[in-house]
């Protein structure tokens, strides 16, 4: 289970729950016997004058480098409001829906009475001498009070400057000057096997250093909350409370910000993730300057086809790309001619192999940029040029608006339709739209029945689903679906690629064809 390394939240009910961390870092290459310059920490090679090159088989001690960079690392305490319980289940932040505990009935707060709050603690680090601090969005999101604890024991009030939920980065500021700070490393990229040091505030203990190596680079952890990040994977121990703390290399350069852990227990098992400096630097600089974080936007829902789905479709052998599952009405993609069922294989001359690659490439575009796409549509390669929009702040609401599809069993019965491969199907009609709450823009064949014991039943097909495409071609009649089945059989195929509308949106699926004796 992937868990966000958190910061410890203690609510009125004494909760401890998790949060995440994201950021990256950069610091200049140190020189031997370098000194501090205007508060900036430039680590030296140590008292002995040795270079920070580990001897064969073992690193040097990390003590000197920790002593030099630790003054820049801080603890961030926050208070966030919580809803006054009125009975029922109190959710635990950071956990899936349905997790929580039973709350007692509590009367509403009287006028002038303080609302209950939760306390949390994360990590961060100074990025400038005048008090700018990098941390994670999830540490300070919704905070009504921020307190920054320095390594010398001082406690200063913090002010949120800006945050970016899509990268889980935030910038906080404290008043003052001459703070010890570190910077993001831009020139030297860490390699798999390089030593790293994580510094932060695990479990509220403060000033804790752990060491390990870079285990992997460009790790996609499939977290929809941070779609633009290829993480560094590290095995230095990071736990709850490390969120927002820096990951250093052995030269004291910030190469990442501790973000998440993969753990079956909630504690460190040696699989941690940090946002790389290359991402964190550009985002935090924009936040510090007060500029909005704007990303390119297409207005599509996409997926990466599995090998089985590719084999069942009409795509050429070896084709990789991002499959267009749905198109937002009125969005840039629809205006530019992109359709449901298209497969994007190139963007501005660069190969697209997965949906993640398309998301990140579009996100790097500026609003208004032209996006030149090569696509496969109905077996043919085509080129489209689409002008990028601006990614909405609430992307999920934009994608899901007006698309609820909940069957209404008390409505008039649907027509029986015709049976194809164990599915009883009929063209979309007003009666079927009414019965199954099918959005007006959805066209195709409605599944009105599924034969018991059929392959379709075992694969989870249900009445109310709408078959929109077969073999990447629109289907509007039963004859269209029968023709697609016959074509696949004639080509020696044993399955048919479908795009099906479900209550959870459009889903690419494979329909196993029955054996013909």
């Amino acid at each position: 289970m992937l868990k966000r390394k958190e910061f410890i939240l203690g609510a009125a009910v004494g909760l401890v729950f998790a949060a995440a961390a994201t950021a990256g870092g950069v610091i200049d290459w140190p020189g031997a016997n370098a000194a501090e310059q205007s508060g900036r920490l430039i680590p030296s090679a140590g008292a002995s004058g040795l270079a920070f090159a580990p001897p064969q088989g073992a690193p040097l001690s990390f003590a000197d480098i920790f002593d030099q960079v630790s003054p820049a690392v801080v603890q961030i305490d926050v208070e966030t409001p919580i809803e006054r319980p009125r009975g029922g289940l109190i959710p635990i932040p950071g956990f899936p829906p349905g997790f929580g505990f039973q709350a007692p009935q509590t009367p509403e707060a009287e006028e002038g009475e303080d609302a209950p709050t939760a306390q949390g603690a994360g990590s961060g680090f100074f990025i400038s001498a005048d008090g700018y601090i990098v941390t994670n969005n999830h540490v300070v999101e919704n905070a009504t009070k921020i307190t920054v604890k320095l390594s010398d024991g001082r406690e200063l009030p913090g002010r949120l400057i800006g945050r970016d939920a899509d990268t889980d980065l935030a910038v906080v500021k404290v008043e003052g000057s001459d703070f010890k700070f570190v910077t993001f490393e831009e020139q030297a990229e860490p390699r798999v096997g390089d030593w790293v040091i994580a510094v932060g505030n695990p479990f509220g203990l403060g000033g804790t250093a752990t060491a390990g190596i870079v285990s992997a680079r460009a790790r996609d952890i499939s977290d929809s909350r941070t779609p633009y990040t290829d993480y560094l994977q590290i095995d230095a121990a990071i736990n709850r409370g490390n969120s927002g703390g820096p990951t250093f290399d052995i030269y004291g350069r910030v190469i990442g910000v501790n973000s998440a852990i993969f753990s079956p227990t909630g504690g460190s098992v040696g699989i941690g993730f940090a946002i790389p400096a290359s991402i964190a630097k550009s985002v935090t600089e924009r936040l510090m300057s007060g500029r909005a974080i704007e990303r390119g936007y297409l207005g599509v829902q996409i997926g990466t086809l599995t090998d089985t789905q590719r084999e069942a479709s009409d795509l050429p052998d070896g084709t990789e790309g991002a499959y267009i599952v749905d198109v937002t009405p009125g969005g840039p993609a629809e205006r530019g001619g992109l359709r449901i069922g298209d497969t994007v294989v190139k963007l501005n001359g660069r190969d697209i192999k997965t949906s993640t690659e398309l998301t990140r490439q579009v996100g790097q575009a500026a609003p208004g940029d032209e996006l030149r796409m090569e696509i496969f549509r109905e077996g043919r390669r085509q080129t489209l040029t689409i002008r990028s929009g601006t990614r909405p702040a609430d992307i999920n609401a934009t994608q899901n608006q007006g698309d609820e599809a909940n069957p209404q069993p008390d409505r008039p019965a649907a027509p029986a339709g015709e049976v194809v491969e164990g599915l009883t199907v009929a063209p979309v009609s007003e009666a079927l739209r009414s019965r199954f709450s099918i959005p007006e823009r959805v066209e195709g064949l409605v599944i009105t029945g599924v034969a018991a014991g059929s392959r379709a039943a075992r694969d989870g097909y249900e009445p109310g689903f709408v078959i929109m495409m077969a073999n990447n071609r629109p289907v509007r009649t039963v004859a269209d679906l029968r023709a697609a089945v016959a074509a696949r059989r004639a080509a020696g195929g044993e399955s048919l690629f479908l795009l099906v509308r479900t209550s959870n949106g459009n889903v690419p699926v494979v329909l196993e064809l029955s054996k013909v004796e």
Side-chain angles (χ1 to χ4, degrees), residues 383-422:
T383 300
L384 298 174
T385 299
I386 299 172
R387 191 169 297 278
S388 172
T390 302
R391 179 178 168 90
D394 190 350
I395 189 69
N396 293 324
T398 303
Q399 291 177 338
N400 296 330
Q401 60 186 359
D403 280 357
E404 294 297 326
N406 299 313
Q408 303 293 330
D410 57 335
R411 301 294 177 88
E418 301 178 46
V419 177
V420 180
E421 295 295 321

Side-chain angles (χ1 to χ4, degrees), residues 38-40 128-131 154 176-181:
S38 301
R40 179 176 177 176
S128 69
D130 56 349
R154 285 182 291 167
S177 59
D178 297 328
F179 294 106
K180 307 302 181 183
F181 70 98

Side-chain angles (χ1 to χ4, degrees), residues 345-410:
V345 295
K346 281 183 180 291
L347 175 62
N348 293 337
R350 298 183 62 176
D351 290 338
I352 298 296
K353 296 183 178 180
T354 65
S355 59
T356 299
E357 288 185 7
L358 180 60
T359 296
R360 291 175 183 170
Q361 290 298 319
V362 172
Q364 290 175 8
D369 284 356
E370 286 191 347
L371 305 174
R372 188 174 183 274
M373 296 185 176
E374 292 186 29
I375 66 169
F376 272 103
R377 177 182 294 168
E378 299 183 6
R380 294 178 296 175
R381 200 176 187 110
Q382 301 184 30
T383 300
L384 298 174
T385 299
I386 299 172
R387 191 169 297 278
S388 172
T390 302
R391 179 178 168 90
D394 190 350
I395 189 69
N396 293 324
T398 303
Q399 291 177 338
N400 296 330
Q401 60 186 359
D403 280 357
E404 294 297 326
N406 299 313
Q408 303 293 330
D410 57 335

